[in-house]
Amino acid sequence: MIPEDHPRYRSLMARERIADGVRSGMVVIEGASAHGRGEAFDYLLGEKSSASAKRAEKTAAAFLLAGFRTVISVNGNTAALAAAEIRDLAEASGAAVEINLFHRTDVRMETITAHLKANGVTVLEGTAERLLPLSHDRALCLRDGIYAADVVLVPLEDGDRCEALVAMGKTVITIDLNPLSRTAQTATLTIVDELTRALPNITRACREQNPETGEQLIADHDNHRLLYAALQTMQETLTDAMD
Ligand code: PTJ
């Protein structure tokens, strides 16, 4: 039992959710390692949403609201950490939700689907086909889901699918605490922020944003600038710590 007044309560609770996810079969053991890498980068952000991340989150809302067919792609870590936040974002943005796993098994697909549904998420279901040009199981997706989408949100992604989706002409938004990852470097829009902070910020922007603001955010979007700003924030944290 983690006491609420523990100074690292939020971080420890997230770790608990990942550990529970491993125990229930929702999260793969590799997902626990991915989470630890995220935690390390979050320290460098001061565990808060930077000004550039907040701008990225508003721009993500603009892309999602402007999309013709938008899909939120959910993996094991995302489901374990943020099922309720995914539900709220899907409702606010009108995006569909599809499960896409790197370590795909039928049992994991069923466990994650049940967990999302229990949290009020409507999950796209059907027969997945090998529709993406990838040699692993992330190639499997729904023809009327990720394959047909013009805008896809891929939180905590592992690289080559992001590249493949961009090459297919889709707008790919990622949430990744590591600004140096292949996903972060190749996505159309990279939100360098922690998943459970980023999702509510995007949801709020979807609820509040007017179309003119959205159009302007998309027109001004420059992912290189966002990545540079995230690295600068991390550098400032390190410099301050050394003073
Ligand atoms: O559930 P599966 O089978 O699809 O597998 C999911 C994992 C996460 C194991 C798989 O996608 C993977 O190996 O991912 P990577 O390559 O480790 O990339 C995950 C990225 O997410 C890393 O760059 C982490 O820094 C980042 N990350 C981890 N936790 C968070 C995060 N970013 C934002 N918020 C987090 N909570």
Side-chain angles (χ1 to χ4, degrees):
M1 182 70 187
I2 299 159
E4 276 186 46
D5 61 354
H6 193 291
R8 308 230 15 95
Y9 178 75
R10 212 181 133 82
S11 171
L12 293 176
M13 285 305 292
R15 213 180 260 185
E16 272 301 293
R17 280 202 291 274
I18 292 291
D20 286 345
V22 171
R23 284 187 278 269
S24 71
M26 197 159 36
V27 176
V28 278
I29 194 74
E30 293 85 347
S33 156
H35 184 76
R37 177 160 44 180
E39 283 180 335
F41 278 103
D42 207 17
Y43 255 82
L44 296 176
L45 288 175
E47 295 178 309
K48 54 181 191 286
S49 305
S50 66
S52 63
K54 287 179 188 161
R55 183 180 178 90
E57 284 147 4
K58 286 181 185 151
T59 309
F63 275 119
L64 287 169
L65 292 173
F68 162 71
R69 178 152 187 83
T70 55
V71 175
I72 305 169
S73 176
V74 174
N75 65 12
N77 284 45
T78 302
L81 288 173
E85 289 85 349
I86 292 289
R87 175 201 60 214
D88 292 347
L89 178 57
E91 273 171 20
S93 67
V97 175
E98 179 172 339
I99 301 169
N100 179 280
L101 303 178
F102 184 69
H103 306 276
R104 186 179 178 118
T105 65
D106 289 346
V107 173
R108 281 191 77 215
M109 288 297 291
E110 283 160 21
T111 309
I112 295 168
T113 302
H115 176 72
L116 290 175
K117 283 185 175 174
N119 281 278
V121 180
T122 305
V123 182
L124 284 181
E125 289 178 89
T127 308
E129 298 171 65
R130 208 164 273 284
L131 295 171
L132 306 184
L134 298 167
S135 54
H136 53 74
D137 280 351
R138 274 208 189 274
L140 289 165
C141 66
L142 298 173
R143 192 169 282 280
D144 59 352
I146 288 171
Y147 183 70
D150 57 341
V151 181
V152 192
L153 173 62
V154 292
L156 284 57
E157 180 69 17
D158 62 359
D160 50 353
R161 186 175 63 132
C162 178
E163 262 177 283
L165 292 171
V166 170
M168 288 167 81
K170 301 179 193 301
T171 295
V172 181
I173 305 165
T174 192
I175 302 169
D176 191 334
L177 281 160
N178 177 5
L180 302 172
S181 76
R182 276 178 54 224
T183 304
Q185 296 284 327
T186 50
T188 316
L189 166 59
T190 306
I191 299 166
V192 183
D193 201 0
E194 202 282 321
L195 178 76
T196 62
R197 292 196 302 268
L199 290 172
N201 286 345
I202 307 171
T203 300
R204 197 172 315 110
C206 282
R207 291 190 179 130
E208 292 171 359
Q209 202 170 87
N210 64 52
E212 295 74 37
T213 307
E215 274 169 33
Q216 199 56 52
L217 283 164
I218 291 173
D220 293 344
H221 172 56
D222 176 347
N223 211 43
H224 180 75
R225 203 171 58 206
L226 288 177
L227 290 169
Y228 185 87
L231 287 165
Q232 232 172 2
T233 303
M234 292 181 178
Q235 193 177 34
E236 280 160 21
T237 307
L238 287 169
T239 308
D240 288 351
M242 286 189 292
D243 277 349

